[in-house]
Amino acid sequence: MAVDYTVIVVYLAGMLAMGWWGMRRAKSKSEFLVAGRRLGPAMYSGTMAAIVLGGASTIGGVGLGYRYGLSGAWMVLTIGLGLLALSVFFSARIARLKVYTVSEMLDLRYGGRAGVISGVVMWAYTLMLAVTSTIAYATIFDVLFDVNRTVAIVIGGAIVVAYSTLGGMWSITLTDMVQFVVKTIGVLLLLLPIAVVKAGGFAEMRAKLPASYFDPLGIGGETIFTYVLIYTFGMLIGQDIWQRVFTARSDRTARWGGTVAGTYCLAYAVAGAVIGTAAKVLYPDLGSPDDAFATIVKDELPVGVRGLVLAAALAAVMSTSSGALIACATVANNDIWSRLRGLAKRSGEREEHDEVAGNRAFILVMGLAVIGTAIALNNVVEALTVAYNLLVGGLLVPILGGLLWKRGTARGALAAVGVGGLAVIGLMAGYGILANEPVYYGLSASLVAYVAVSLATRPTDEAVLAAWRERLAGRSSELPSETVPAHQ
């Protein structure tokens, strides 16, 4: 394992070095939070693919392949479809808004009264997303170094927090590009063909496994529908995804770069399912499907290659973790703390302060909170389900409604967030966290509340809508005065 250890240590050291490099570039709020909005197509595509394909897509995707066969690809396929939909239909408009958070977009659209509540929901989502990614370090470091769960979380989390805090989005962008390359080589070019060959080829796999393993719909229609609701729609509205859209240097970059990344996700989904299916042939009696990835890597790959593939898994986890962490800190600072501080100040004067230092401090604080929460929690699937249920149930309707329906109002948006969020929480308590009903009924309740309250209240002021249209068209770079909270 000495060679494998060397590969991993060099990789981790490189992540920290890139954090130091990013610190030298991040001299302004825009540079720190959205890489100066200057990413070209190649870098944008790589970093977008890196953030959406995390530990759940890699380790979890292989696990679903182990359990269901080729239809296990559906979870990651719906992620790719969501990214394609975002890129084709919405990314250009989102990029032109020139904001930093989803809540700022809601303020622009509805007149400055939706930010704090939506910010709290988005913060909870990004926090839990970062936590689930951090928990995944335990699996990988256990295979690598045979360390206990808490130590594994602290080691992996500390590295991500370090480079994210140092350089913000520039560090994360550069590390994500490296992680994208490592994942492509490790999973698609090495593990996939080796796993198929070790399993005896597709003919042998078909002979040894039930026919259901090769049924594209074998996982079940209801499960696929739930994946679409949670992951496809979740890709449309998540702060971690939008913050990457904000890094694009042009509308064209956001649209076509995201389309390339979404297509890559579809290929990655199929690869994970095939690897899991091969693992089922090789190890038919694993205790947990999620052990399939680590087992096939540990037992079937040669020295050196094993280290690179494990680095690929680590890359998948770290890219999602760092993206969720900076999103969580951005929301906590811009949408919650800054607004509450602004409300608490009696005078409307803006305090002069170092915005880069402030955002850096929030990443550090949120990073420590993520590590602590990850140590306390055990169930990754439940934590991820809570995150996506809150996001989709609480924020999907007011965000898409704001983009697509002129008649939507601020009170309608607030009602949708409140009713949808509370319905999801109550239904998870009643049906169970992993049940499908919370997101079904919560989303329906949010939609009804949004439409009913919007139609029952006065339309959004025409001046606000005019300013919104100007921003969507890319003709304005400043927030209209009507929508700017007092602290700004």
Side-chain angles (χ1 to χ4, degrees):
M1 291 288 288
V3 176
D4 296 327
Y5 290 159
T6 301
V7 171
I8 297 298
V9 170
V10 168
Y11 170 76
L12 294 177
M15 296 299 101
L16 292 174
M18 290 171 198
W20 183 261
W21 176 89
M23 183 176 68
R24 302 180 64 181
R25 294 203 62 167
K27 301 298 184 182
S28 67
K29 179 180 179 180
S30 176
E31 297 281 351
F32 191 82
L33 294 182
V34 291
R37 308 186 195 275
R38 290 192 284 152
L39 297 192
M43 187 165 284
Y44 179 87
S45 298
T47 58
M48 183 62 87
I51 188 176
V52 301
L53 296 173
S57 300
T58 303
I59 298 171
V62 171
L64 287 172
Y66 182 89
R67 184 175 179 184
Y68 298 106
L70 298 185
S71 67
W74 272 106
M75 184 186 77
V76 185
L77 283 174
T78 57
I79 291 173
L81 292 174
L83 184 52
L84 284 171
L86 174 70
S87 301
V88 173
F89 298 113
F90 299 108
S91 63
R93 284 186 282 176
I94 292 169
R96 286 196 294 264
L97 289 174
K98 303 296 183 185
V99 295
Y100 291 100
T101 67
V102 174
S103 294
E104 287 182 16
M105 167 265 172
L106 292 173
D107 273 350
L108 278 169
R109 169 60 181 81
Y110 295 112
R113 288 173 288 177
V116 174
I117 295 176
S118 62
V120 170
V121 175
M122 190 63 77
W123 174 80
Y125 157 72
T126 53
L127 178 72
M128 295 310 294
L129 185 62
V131 166
T132 59
S133 300
T134 304
I135 291 173
Y137 296 135
T139 300
I140 300 169
F141 277 92
D142 178 54
V143 174
L144 287 173
F145 305 116
D146 194 26
V147 296
N148 69 48
R149 179 179 180 276
T150 298
V151 173
I153 289 172
V154 170
I155 292 172
I159 292 170
V160 170
V161 171
Y163 74 70
S164 300
T165 301
L166 285 172
M169 187 59 82
W170 270 122
S171 294
I172 293 170
T173 295
L174 189 57
T175 55
D176 277 358
M177 275 304 298
V178 174
Q179 289 158 357
F180 170 74
V181 172
V182 170
K183 280 192 288 191
T184 300
I185 296 173
V187 175
L188 296 183
L189 301 183
L190 292 176
L191 182 57
L192 174 61
I194 290 173
V196 172
V197 169
K198 291 283 187 178
F202 285 104
E204 186 71 13
M205 290 162 63
R206 281 185 174 276
K208 290 187 175 180
L209 294 174
S212 62
Y213 267 71
F214 302 92
D215 180 358
L217 303 178
I219 198 170
E222 183 178 355
T223 298
I224 295 171
F225 180 67
T226 302
Y227 285 159
V228 170
L229 279 185
I230 293 177
Y231 298 114
T232 300
F233 287 133
M235 287 294 105
L236 298 179
I237 58 175
Q239 169 67 25
D240 52 323
I241 310 301
W242 278 40
Q243 199 156 344
R244 295 310 174 94
V245 176
F246 299 151
T247 66
R249 72 183 179 199
S250 67
D251 298 356
R252 184 179 177 84
T253 295
R255 182 182 294 111
W256 292 108
T259 300
V260 171
T263 304
Y264 177 90
C265 290
L266 302 183
Y268 200 88
V270 175
V274 171
I275 292 167
T277 304
K280 183 66 175 179
V281 173
L282 294 168
Y283 312 100
D285 300 314
L286 289 179
S288 169
D290 286 341
D291 293 337
F293 180 89
T295 302
I296 197 169
V297 169
K298 191 173 184 179
D299 293 350
E300 302 297 336
L301 299 186
V303 172
V305 173
R306 179 172 51 207
L308 183 60
V309 173
L310 286 172
L314 195 58
V317 175
M318 294 178 82
S319 57
T320 299
S321 181
S322 59
L325 176 58
I326 194 171
C328 178
T330 302
V331 170
N333 188 11
N334 284 24
D335 295 337
I336 301 176
W337 171 246
S338 293
R339 294 169 190 268
L340 294 177
R341 188 181 56 142
L343 291 173
K345 287 162 55 180
R346 300 233 175 237
S347 70
E349 297 179 1
R350 176 175 176 171
E351 293 180 356
E352 293 296 329
H353 61 286
D354 185 342
E355 291 188 281
V356 172
N359 282 292
R360 185 173 281 134
F362 264 87
I363 291 179
L364 178 59
V365 171
M366 291 298 104
L368 295 175
V370 165
I371 292 172
T373 306
I375 292 172
L377 293 180
N378 286 315
N379 195 311
V380 178
V381 175
E382 288 191 359
L384 191 63
T385 301
V386 169
Y388 273 98
N389 281 354
L390 283 173
L391 177 71
V392 174
L395 291 181
L396 178 68
V397 169
I399 292 172
L400 293 189
L403 290 169
L404 300 173
W405 191 39
K406 178 182 176 180
R407 188 58 180 82
T409 66
R411 290 186 179 181
L414 290 171
V417 174
V419 171
L422 291 174
V424 164
I425 293 171
L427 290 164
M428 283 193 294
Y431 284 98
I433 289 176
L434 298 180
N436 293 328
E437 287 82 1
V439 72
Y440 293 169
Y441 300 142
L443 186 57
S444 300
S446 179
L447 177 60
V448 170
Y450 181 70
V451 173
V453 175
S454 291
L455 292 176
T457 54
R458 293 177 56 188
T460 304
D461 188 272
E462 186 55 38
V464 173
L465 289 177
W468 165 254
R469 288 191 291 269
E470 287 290 304
R471 288 293 284 268
L472 279 179
R475 292 192 291 265
S476 175
S477 60
E478 299 295 331
L479 286 169
S481 59
E482 298 96 325
T483 68
V484 181
H487 73 281
Q488 296 180 338

